[in-house]
Amino acid sequence: MSALPGPRVRIAPTVEVLVPRLARYLLRCARMAVRARGRFSLVLTGGSTPRPLYEYLATNARVAAAFPWSDTVVFWGDERHVPPTHADSNFRLAHETLLSRVPIAPAHIHRFPVELPDGDAAAAAYAAVVGRELADAAEGVFDFVLLGMGADGHIASLFPGSPLLRGATALASAPWVPALDTQRLTLTPAALLRTRSLVVLVTGAGKAATVREVLEGPLDLSRLPAQCLRAAHVPVTWCLDAAAARLLDSRLPPPARA
Ligand code: 6PG
């Protein structure tokens, strides 16, 4: 089987330049999906990085007017096991900055059922929701997965050393995260990689060393969970500001596939 292309790296000088470009790319993907299949399934990330993107999607008049929100369904790549109104909630971030400001149907917003006190039960319930979405979807995939990355190389709530990096088949899980001394709720690579488009949004100088290791370093999946994206069967696009990209050696070819 011919090797799939390596990741695409898109670098913008600042977040202020990066966000509109990514918003326009997301809009193009959404409109193509709706034209082709009548719906756009989007997996959102948590953390602080996506906040300016969500704000832009909600407030830029041209993008907001053109975005097919009435045909869009959203999911999350991971969640903290806290109420949806909690300051740490990934749902709350997206709802406050974006979803409460666009014409998306409440029934199209699929958040983790954090009301279930048992994390494993919440993950299993969400896996069933995601499973139904993927089973009904053309080719069994999401249209767009948006991820961030931590300075330790985690994506979603797949942290260094996570057993979920070793071929978990479940679509969602509730791993204990020793580094945070807490349980998280997360989609697994088995779900995150089932997508037509996958974008990793990383900004800031504090992540530059990790970006270089993940993209240009040797495969070390347990230490750098973001390297699981090398196994993606679609091109992965890394959207970086110059600060996050500053240590990349642009002369290097994309890394060999996992
Ligand atoms: C979360 C996110 C997580 C995030 C990274 C980066 O729940 O925290 O889903 O995977 O993308 O931790 O977080 P920042 O954007 O805050 O740096």
Side-chain angles (χ1 to χ4, degrees):
M1 184 171 98
S2 63
L4 285 165
R8 295 181 294 220
V9 180
R10 299 285 184 267
I11 302 169
T14 63
V15 173
E16 290 71 24
V17 174
L18 182 62
V19 161
R21 287 179 183 171
L22 178 51
R24 288 192 293 270
Y25 176 59
L26 187 60
L27 172 59
R28 285 198 303 276
C29 290
R31 295 177 75 173
M32 279 169 51
V34 171
R35 267 199 304 273
R37 294 174 295 279
R39 74 194 267 123
F40 177 58
S41 55
L42 169 61
V43 178
L44 296 173
T45 183
S48 56
T49 303
R51 178 181 287 272
L53 173 65
Y54 296 164
E55 293 274 1
Y56 187 90
L57 289 168
T59 59
N60 177 270
R62 195 174 64 78
V63 171
F67 205 98
W69 288 111
S70 56
D71 295 312
T72 296
V73 291
V74 299
F75 302 82
W76 275 261
D78 74 325
E79 186 55 279
R80 292 81 181 278
H81 202 176
V82 296
T85 54
H86 192 284
D88 291 347
S89 166
N90 290 339
F91 163 81
R92 175 175 164 179
L93 166 73
H95 189 260
E96 280 186 348
T97 56
L98 174 59
L99 301 177
S100 60
R101 306 159 83 177
V102 294
I104 185 171
H108 286 183
I109 300 175
H110 301 289
R111 63 176 173 79
F112 277 86
V114 293
E115 295 80 3
L116 295 175
D118 178 79
D120 293 327
Y126 201 62
V129 171
V130 169
R132 283 194 295 274
E133 170 63 26
L134 294 176
D136 295 344
E139 298 163 35
V141 296
F142 294 114
D143 290 302
F144 200 105
V145 168
L146 175 66
L147 293 172
M149 187 188 75
D152 61 357
H154 81 264
I155 52 172
S157 284
L158 304 168
F159 283 80
S162 172
L164 298 175
L165 296 165
R166 295 193 290 272
T169 55
L171 295 176
S173 186
W176 181 260
V177 182
L180 302 177
D181 194 27
T182 188
Q183 188 177 44
R184 282 282 190 91
L185 303 171
T186 189
L187 294 190
T188 63
L192 293 170
L193 297 182
R194 286 176 60 175
T195 182
R196 285 187 179 80
S197 296
L198 196 154
V199 165
V200 192
L201 175 61
V202 186
T203 60
K207 298 182 180 176
T210 309
V211 166
R212 179 185 57 189
E213 283 203 275
V214 167
L215 287 179
E216 298 176 346
L219 188 64
D220 188 353
L221 197 51
S222 180
R223 189 171 65 85
L224 296 166
Q227 289 186 332
C228 75
L229 300 178
R230 292 187 185 183
H233 292 282
V234 290
V236 174
T237 304
W238 287 75
C239 291
L240 310 172
D241 68 351
R246 66 190 174 86
L247 297 178
L248 286 179
D249 180 344
S250 57
R251 294 163 301 164
L252 283 180
R257 307 205 61 70

